[in-house]
Amino acid sequence: MVEERVTDGRRIAELLASEIDGREDGGLGRLSVTNADPDVEPSADGARAYDVTSGESSGDARRVATVHVHEDRAHVSFREAQETAHETAADVGLRTRPKAVRPPQTLVFVESGAEVKRATDVLAAVGDRVSD
């Protein structure tokens, strides 16, 4: 049996959103997908697909990260708990790098559908950290 490798950035972002919205335990239970663009088209620089926020209601919700789609991958730009995102991504084998913008961000690349579970580990660790 041949398994297909999912390398479509938009599909990877959809799988990641399903993981975030589908889990109610631990750090992921503290996060939500918000401001989704259902018509997002992948781009070379990464088009914004949706935000990941922490907080119970829109009044106290804060943006933790933003998910972007490329043709062949997705990346998550972490605004909060950047050191946690970097360390956890490196521990689970995901490519990561800092982004020199104001405020600074940490990028974590999700290059296949198989890496989505590892990306959820990063998001869960960040969710735990921002809720402290």
Side-chain angles (χ1 to χ4, degrees):
M1 182 170 151
V2 176
E3 291 187 30
E4 229 178 276
R5 184 170 186 228
V6 176
T7 58
D8 174 88
R10 186 173 175 165
R11 182 67 184 130
I12 291 167
E14 289 170 348
L15 291 169
L16 186 57
S18 293
E19 287 291 323
I20 296 165
D21 281 343
R23 302 256 307 263
E24 295 180 6
D25 59 330
L28 282 181
R30 297 175 183 93
L31 302 176
S32 301
V33 172
T34 56
N35 303 318
D37 179 357
D39 299 320
V40 66
E41 291 296 326
S43 72
D45 294 330
R48 186 194 136 314
Y50 54 85
D51 296 328
V52 179
T53 57
S54 173
E56 294 297 318
S57 66
S58 60
D60 66 352
R62 70 179 192 224
R63 186 170 31 175
V64 173
T66 304
V67 176
H68 302 265
V69 295
H70 304 260
E71 287 290 332
D72 59 348
R73 68 182 180 272
H75 80 261
V76 185
S77 299
F78 287 91
R79 297 169 179 263
E80 301 277 340
Q82 294 173 41
E83 189 70 26
T84 298
H86 172 74
E87 289 173 2
T88 306
D91 288 348
V92 299
L94 294 178
R95 190 166 58 98
T96 179
R97 71 171 176 84
K99 184 173 183 181
V101 294
R102 293 211 183 264
Q105 297 175 25
T106 296
L107 304 184
V108 174
F109 296 90
V110 188
E111 299 181 3
S112 71
E115 291 185 353
V116 167
K117 290 289 187 188
R118 288 186 262 165
T120 59
D121 291 344
V122 176
L123 284 159
V126 168
D128 283 339
R129 179 82 173 145
V130 298
S131 68
D132 290 343

